[in-house]
Amino acid sequence: MRVFNFAAGPAALPLEVLERARDELVDWNHGGMSVMEISHRSKAFMDVAARAEADLRELLGVPSHYKVLFLQGGASAQFSFVPMNLTAQGANVDYIDTGHWSKKAIREAQRYCRVHIAGDSGAAYTSVPAQAELSFSKDAEYVHYTPNETIGGVEFPYVPRTGGAPLVADMSSNILSQQIDVTKFGLIYAGAQKNIGPAGLVVVIVREDLIGHARPGTPTVFDYRAVAAEGSMLNTPPTFAWYMAGLVFQWLKARGGLAAIAQANRLKAELLYAAIDGSGSFRNAVAQDARSRMNVTFGSTRPELDAEFLREAEGAGLKNLKGHKAAGGMLASIYNSMPIEGVAALVEFMREFERKHG
Ligand SMILES: Cc1ncc(COP(=O)(O)O)c(C=O)c1O
């Protein structure tokens, strides 16, 4: 029996995708083998890879002067490979600090660059700085930000204008959740395990002119130019994850693309935030205009009830609602594959819990 899985990542995948992968698992493409068991250089797999890239480009509207790379190492590896690929020793870079993942990216970048904090959201991390509050360095090689802070449930309602420096975005937890204008970004990266597919894959979308300047010492398999030149097949890629990502892209297209999924995501988030705001028993601390559409944080107004809430929710088939250990409380991740029925079930459960314990 399937449950409603609110995990932050690895996260729920669309049931239709899982069922198709199951059906194709041992005999893929009538070849008598699993897609996991064939060469990444075979024509059959190259077709899978090419279609996945084409579908991703179509979904996001990626212009032809951007490369799309399928890499390994997770989003965290990009915390280092972005500065290693985009800057030389001693470079100045700007970072916006809005929470847990921004901080991690900053700490890693400090190993390679002089990092200037161009804006932050204060110690509580319950908002994002407004455009007018951002102050960029004159000579920053790039500006990095985290459009959606997964753990804090804080999302930028706008794309920062940097006044020139390329904008780098860690879109791990909100990529493909709505339409974006890729030309506003120099580089986008995203770990797969939320809105793309299984863990083990990270997607990098990078403007062509930004590659080719990797520092000496950058591992070849993470040098964007070398990877791009080989179609992300410099070495054996995570083929099964890539195939699964391709199925997710096909699923998104069949659902009407990003305009349709954005609308569904808006409705889900509105339903959940309205239930939190309208209850006397739960609260969300994030500023209205910075509330994440993907990761909804909430806690009981009597925090001693959080553990009981989580226990009863598990029993009701509402799984993995526990907030990150750094944040506490509850975290409902409602990525693309969470159906509105899952959110409705959670809202109903919250009402029932309030009646019982309120
Ligand atoms: C916004 C964001 N960035 C980076 C990461 C780290 O990703 P990975 O575990 O793939 O390195 C995560 C969490 O998974 C995340 O949510």
Side-chain angles (χ1 to χ4, degrees):
M1 196 198 75
R2 296 281 291 172
V3 295
F4 291 121
N5 174 12
F6 294 91
L13 286 166
L15 180 59
E16 294 90 332
V17 166
L18 293 173
E19 286 176 339
R20 179 162 166 200
R22 175 199 63 199
D23 293 346
E24 297 181 344
L25 189 68
V26 297
D27 179 12
W28 177 73
N29 206 19
H30 308 297
M33 291 172 279
S34 166
V35 68
M36 271 183 277
E37 300 172 300
I38 64 170
S39 167
H40 55 296
R41 304 203 186 279
S42 62
K43 159 114 182 45
F45 188 80
M46 296 286 264
D47 288 349
V48 169
R51 173 152 188 208
E53 180 179 334
D55 285 343
L56 180 60
R57 282 183 176 275
E58 186 182 327
L59 282 163
L60 282 172
V62 180
S64 58
H65 64 292
Y66 283 71
K67 297 288 187 192
V68 175
L69 311 177
F70 290 83
L71 294 166
Q72 307 182 52
S76 302
Q78 296 308 315
F79 295 165
S80 333
F81 293 126
V82 165
M84 288 181 90
N85 273 278
L86 266 46
T87 68
Q89 186 75 29
N92 291 314
V93 291
D94 282 359
Y95 276 67
I96 304 174
D97 179 8
T98 48
H100 182 93
W101 292 110
S102 313
K103 258 197 164 19
K104 288 214 168 202
I106 289 165
R107 260 188 236 122
E108 198 62 22
Q110 281 167 337
R111 305 179 62 213
Y112 305 96
C113 301
R114 276 201 294 272
V115 177
H116 162 74
I117 304 301
D120 66 44
S121 42
Y125 289 127
T126 50
S127 62
V128 298
Q131 173 74 49
E133 292 167 343
L134 300 173
S135 75
F136 301 109
S137 320
K138 274 196 194 57
D139 54 354
E141 299 280 334
Y142 64 80
V143 176
H144 180 284
Y145 84 121
T146 311
N148 185 65
E149 283 283 357
T150 319
I151 293 171
V154 169
E155 186 173 21
F156 273 80
Y158 72 98
V159 177
R161 287 184 312 278
T162 66
L167 183 62
V168 174
D170 172 3
M171 278 194 201
S172 294
S173 52
N174 68 351
I175 193 164
L176 293 168
S177 66
Q178 62 185 351
Q179 290 154 302
I180 54 167
D181 177 356
V182 172
T183 63
K184 290 184 172 165
F185 301 88
L187 188 150
I188 293 166
Y189 63 94
Q193 64 271 24
K194 301 158 201 304
N195 262 343
I196 295 179
L201 181 72
V202 57
V203 169
V204 173
I205 300 168
V206 57
R207 216 173 62 207
E208 247 166 21
D209 60 290
L210 296 176
I211 66 177
H213 320 286
R215 294 180 184 208
T218 306
T220 310
V221 292
F222 291 109
D223 176 334
Y224 297 151
R225 182 168 60 179
V227 175
E230 297 294 328
S232 303
M233 298 221 190
L234 197 67
N235 66 330
T236 314
T239 52
F240 190 70
W242 197 333
Y243 151 84
M244 288 290 288
L247 295 188
V248 171
F249 301 153
Q250 288 175 39
W251 174 83
L252 272 174
K253 282 175 65 179
R255 288 205 47 177
L258 299 194
I261 205 79
Q263 166 78 355
N265 286 335
R266 235 188 332 272
L267 290 176
K268 287 186 294 181
E270 278 169 14
L271 181 61
L272 189 44
Y273 284 116
I276 295 166
D277 292 345
S279 89
S281 301
F282 302 101
R283 60 184 286 276
N284 165 284
V286 180
Q288 287 282 344
D289 70 339
R291 286 175 158 187
S292 170
R293 297 159 310 115
M294 297 281 102
N295 308 98
V296 179
T297 53
F298 61 100
S300 304
T301 45
R302 287 154 56 204
E304 68 275 13
L305 283 180
D306 283 356
E308 180 61 15
F309 180 89
L310 290 166
R311 202 183 60 76
E312 290 187 25
E314 286 275 320
L318 305 169
K319 302 283 184 181
N320 298 318
L321 281 162
K322 195 172 176 10
H324 190 271
K325 59 181 184 311
M330 275 75 81
L331 172 60
S333 294
I334 49 173
Y335 300 118
N336 287 349
S337 60
M338 173 60 69
I340 185 106
E341 291 78 12
V343 177
L346 173 57
V347 165
E348 185 46 42
F349 175 81
M350 289 164 73
R351 291 209 179 104
E352 190 51 39
F353 188 85
E354 188 170 12
R355 263 194 294 276
K356 223 160 97 187
H357 300 278

